[in-house]
């Protein structure tokens, strides 16, 4: 017990030392001015809630949202149709209004692709990606939504530990099932802001907080689009959050192949909890940080954009901040 306690205390001390030193370095990255070209190039995404496919939202709601999608230069939307059952299957009864929604949406926004957003929090004794039969049912669910008329499938599994081979197997099987014409995308966790940081965190908490850049590359190589969830960061102050997102953007740009569309998640929701200070994680700070991170490239990257989370909580002020901070910055 004494030996174990010493190991735990040492790990906690290591995390604190790295956190303090890293925090200073991270905050320093949220400085300077982004380059003029570091802005939207028309390839952005929006997460959309379940109300669009279960009958709660109709034409009036679409009429209100469509102009914002157009003004935001949003080319892809991820519409929630899940969650998956604990065995990996998807109940089609969860999205009875999908056909009607897709028809109305495509009439209003014919150039915007619509992917079905499916997922489930992966918890002990619950949805298990390492189980062969569970993965088979998830793949069947992906085929199910593509057959229902969606342009592709957008996975969102949380948490998935760093270097989990089961996710790679799932993505390979999904691609084989839905083919190359259907879009395959996924939301992914944040990347280690400092190499090796995930190990002491996992030692103390038993969970992976971050992915390595190497694992992100392996996942991205199997996708058409990858969306980094650059929010719920546990950064307590605006400067730290801004620097963290700058760092996330630069690391993701290095890790994600250029033929894969990289999307950086932008928060537009009110949640206030242990891993999110809404006064720090603002739409304004996020978009400026992404522009600063993108400015590290010598020239614009074609397959790059942002993904706004989420339509049903985004306020008019947040939409305006997104427009002014990313789409048409001064």
């Amino acid at each position: 017990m004494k030996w174990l306690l010493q190991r735990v205390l040492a790990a906690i001390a290591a995390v604190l030392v790295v956190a303090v030193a890293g925090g200073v370095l991270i905050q320093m990255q949220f400085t300077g001015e982004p380059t003029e070209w570091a802005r939207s190039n028309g390839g952005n995404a929006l997460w959309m809630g379940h109300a669009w496919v279960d009958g709660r939202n109709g034409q009036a709601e679409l009429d209100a949202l469509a102009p914002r999608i157009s003004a935001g230069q949003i080319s892809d939307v991820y519409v929630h149709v899940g969650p998956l059952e604990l065995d990996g299957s998807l109940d089609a009864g969860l999205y009875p209004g999908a056909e009607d929604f897709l028809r109305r949406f495509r009439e209003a926004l014919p150039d915007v692709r619509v992917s079905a957003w499916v997922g489930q929090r992966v918890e002990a004794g619950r949805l298990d990606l390492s189980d062969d039969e569970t993965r088979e049912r998830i793949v069947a669910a992906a085929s199910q939504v593509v057959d229902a008329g969606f342009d592709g499938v957008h996975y969102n599994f949380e948490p998935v530990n760093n270097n989990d081979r089961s996710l790679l197997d799932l993505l390979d099987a999904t691609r084989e099932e839905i083919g190359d014409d259907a879009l395959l995308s996924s939301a992914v966790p944040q990347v280690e802001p400092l190499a090796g940081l995930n190990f002491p965190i996992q030692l103390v908490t038993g969970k992976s907080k971050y992915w390595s850049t190497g694992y992100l590359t392996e996942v991205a190589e199997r996708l058409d689009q990858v969306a980094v969830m650059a929010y719920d960061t546990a950064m307590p102050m605006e400067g730290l959050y801004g620097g963290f997102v700058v760092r996330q953007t630069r690391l993701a740009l290095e890790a994600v192949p250029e033929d894969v569309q990289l999307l950086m998640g932008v928060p537009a929701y009110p949640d206030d909890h242990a891993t999110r200070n809404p006064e720090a994680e603002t739409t304004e700070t996020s978009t400026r940080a992404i522009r600063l991170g993108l400015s590290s490239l010598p020239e614009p990257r074609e397959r790059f954009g942002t993904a706004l989370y989420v339509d049903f909580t985004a306020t008019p002020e947040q939409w305006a901040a997104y427009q002014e901070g990313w789409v048409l910055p001064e």
Side-chain angles (χ1 to χ4, degrees):
M1 287 295 295
K2 182 178 180 181
W3 174 85
L4 179 60
L5 179 61
Q6 289 175 337
R7 290 289 298 274
V8 170
L9 291 175
I12 293 173
V15 171
L16 290 175
V17 170
V18 172
V20 172
V24 174
L25 295 175
I26 287 173
Q27 188 164 356
M28 289 175 60
Q29 298 191 49
F30 192 54
T31 57
E33 294 295 326
T35 60
E36 190 278 334
W37 54 258
R39 60 178 66 198
S40 172
N41 63 9
N44 304 304
L46 171 68
W47 279 287
M48 294 173 60
H50 199 84
W52 295 101
V53 294
D54 68 5
R56 284 177 288 165
N57 283 354
Q59 191 61 45
E61 288 80 8
L62 182 57
D63 289 344
L65 182 62
R68 286 175 169 164
I69 290 177
S70 297
Q73 298 183 2
I74 290 167
S75 60
D76 290 89
V77 295
Y78 307 132
V79 182
H80 190 266
V81 299
L84 297 170
E85 300 295 331
L86 301 185
D87 65 357
S89 61
L90 178 62
D91 179 4
L94 292 174
Y95 51 94
E99 182 178 358
D100 182 58
F101 163 73
L102 289 170
R103 176 186 56 79
R104 290 185 289 101
F105 188 91
R106 285 169 175 152
E107 287 176 356
L109 299 159
D111 297 326
V112 179
R113 296 174 295 191
V114 187
S115 292
W117 168 15
V118 299
Q120 172 68 50
R121 291 191 178 275
V122 183
E123 301 170 357
R126 294 176 67 84
L127 186 64
D128 182 5
L129 295 184
S130 67
D131 180 72
D132 293 344
E133 294 183 354
T134 298
R135 290 200 307 275
E136 289 175 4
R137 294 188 188 99
I138 296 173
V139 171
S143 179
Q144 177 181 316
V145 294
V146 171
D147 289 343
F150 288 91
D151 295 307
V153 60
H154 177 75
Y155 283 141
N156 180 202
F157 302 115
E158 302 178 51
V160 175
N161 285 336
N162 187 44
N163 292 323
D164 187 332
R165 315 317 291 177
S166 300
L167 177 61
L168 303 182
D169 292 340
L170 173 64
L171 296 178
D172 287 336
T174 303
R175 173 61 73 196
E176 183 176 355
E177 177 67 23
I178 68 175
D180 293 333
D181 292 336
L183 285 168
L184 180 56
S185 63
S186 182
V188 300
Q190 297 143 29
V191 186
E192 285 180 313
L194 301 170
L197 181 60
N198 192 58
F199 175 73
I201 291 177
Q202 188 167 1
L203 187 63
V204 173
T205 66
K207 299 178 182 178
S208 283
K209 167 65 176 173
Y210 303 115
W211 279 3
S212 66
T213 53
Y215 184 56
L216 176 57
T217 298
E218 288 191 272
V219 170
E221 288 172 341
R222 292 162 165 83
L223 298 168
D224 298 307
Q225 301 169 332
V226 57
V228 179
M229 296 181 287
Y231 40 76
D232 288 352
T233 63
M235 296 293 121
M237 297 179 291
E238 179 184 7
L240 279 172
Y241 174 66
F244 184 87
V245 174
V246 173
R247 179 68 173 160
Q248 288 293 301
T249 303
R250 290 172 176 167
L251 290 170
L253 285 166
E254 294 174 2
V256 175
E258 291 193 15
D259 61 347
V260 177
Q261 186 176 11
L262 169 61
L263 302 159
M264 298 301 298
V266 174
Y269 59 100
D271 297 16
D272 186 351
H273 47 67
T275 59
R276 181 167 194 260
N277 176 4
E279 295 182 0
E281 292 192 7
T282 65
T283 308
E284 295 91 334
T285 301
S286 174
T287 52
R288 177 174 176 79
I290 291 169
R291 292 189 67 213
L292 285 169
L294 184 59
S295 298
S296 64
L297 297 181
E299 58 185 8
R301 172 165 167 155
E302 180 181 355
R303 296 180 181 273
F304 183 89
T306 60
L308 190 69
Y309 183 88
V310 59
D311 77 297
F312 58 86
T313 57
T315 64
E317 293 76 18
Q318 288 169 326
W319 276 108
Y322 179 76
Q323 190 78 11
E324 295 166 6
W326 174 247
V327 181
L328 296 172
E330 294 182 359

